[in-house]
Amino acid sequence: MPETTQNLGRLISSHTTSPAYLQRAAIVAVVSFAFFLGTLALFYLRQQIGYFLLSTGFLVVYIFTLIGWVMQKRNVVTLYENGISYRKFRFVWSEIRSVTANKNGLEIIVSKRERTIIPRSVIGYNQIVQTVRTGVENAR
């Protein structure tokens, strides 16, 4: 995906994933780790392979939850006076073809192959939608 070389201007705001979503992932991680330790202790006491397999399952859930949690913390939407930046997506308002807010989030389309969806789980989602729409309309 080619990034724009144009200056996006002055920083307006940065938006990260909502703490409520991160807290849910943290709770799942803590509970799955507790179950992992519990089933590992049962395996040690009873020496039955079923407890070991169950323990392994909880460990896999724990690892994937932590990976997802770290990935979510890195998702930052940055709004500038002349454009937007999200992950590898970085464009000025005039390059954006369409903006659609739906149940999945804010879909921004630059061309047939270049599009991104900003999830609703971002802090200040409504402000992002309003700012992007206003910026795109003013650039036309």
Side-chain angles (χ1 to χ4, degrees):
M1 177 184 306
E3 288 190 14
T4 182
T5 58
Q6 297 177 359
N7 184 11
L8 294 180
R10 175 179 64 81
L11 175 68
I12 295 175
S13 61
S14 291
H15 304 269
T16 59
T17 303
S18 173
Y21 287 93
L22 295 176
Q23 182 181 17
R24 290 177 193 162
I27 289 170
V28 169
V30 168
V31 169
S32 65
F33 189 70
F35 282 141
F36 163 70
L37 291 177
T39 53
L40 200 60
L42 283 173
F43 170 68
Y44 178 73
L45 294 173
R46 296 200 177 187
Q47 298 292 315
Q48 293 179 356
I49 193 70
Y51 290 114
F52 178 75
L53 294 175
L54 192 58
S55 176
T56 304
F58 284 122
L59 181 63
V60 169
V61 169
Y62 173 71
I63 290 170
F64 281 122
T65 302
L66 286 183
I67 290 170
W69 190 70
V70 169
M71 297 300 285
Q72 282 297 325
K73 284 191 64 83
R74 295 189 335 184
N75 289 341
V76 177
V77 177
T78 310
L79 298 173
Y80 299 92
E81 60 185 5
N82 298 329
I84 185 170
S85 172
Y86 176 67
R87 294 184 180 171
K88 294 180 182 179
F89 183 86
R90 182 179 169 89
F91 290 99
V92 295
W93 300 131
S94 60
E95 294 176 322
I96 296 175
R97 302 270 186 251
S98 71
V99 177
T100 308
N102 55 37
K103 65 178 182 171
N104 296 329
L106 179 66
E107 182 179 26
I108 301 174
I109 299 174
V110 177
S111 67
K112 285 185 177 181
R113 288 188 241 163
E114 295 179 286
R115 68 179 59 207
T116 191
I117 296 178
I118 298 173
R120 299 176 79 77
S121 62
V122 175
I123 297 174
Y125 174 77
N126 293 330
Q127 177 190 2
I128 294 169
V129 171
Q130 182 180 6
T131 303
V132 170
R133 284 185 174 161
T134 303
V136 171
E137 290 172 4
N138 291 341
R140 291 184 181 170

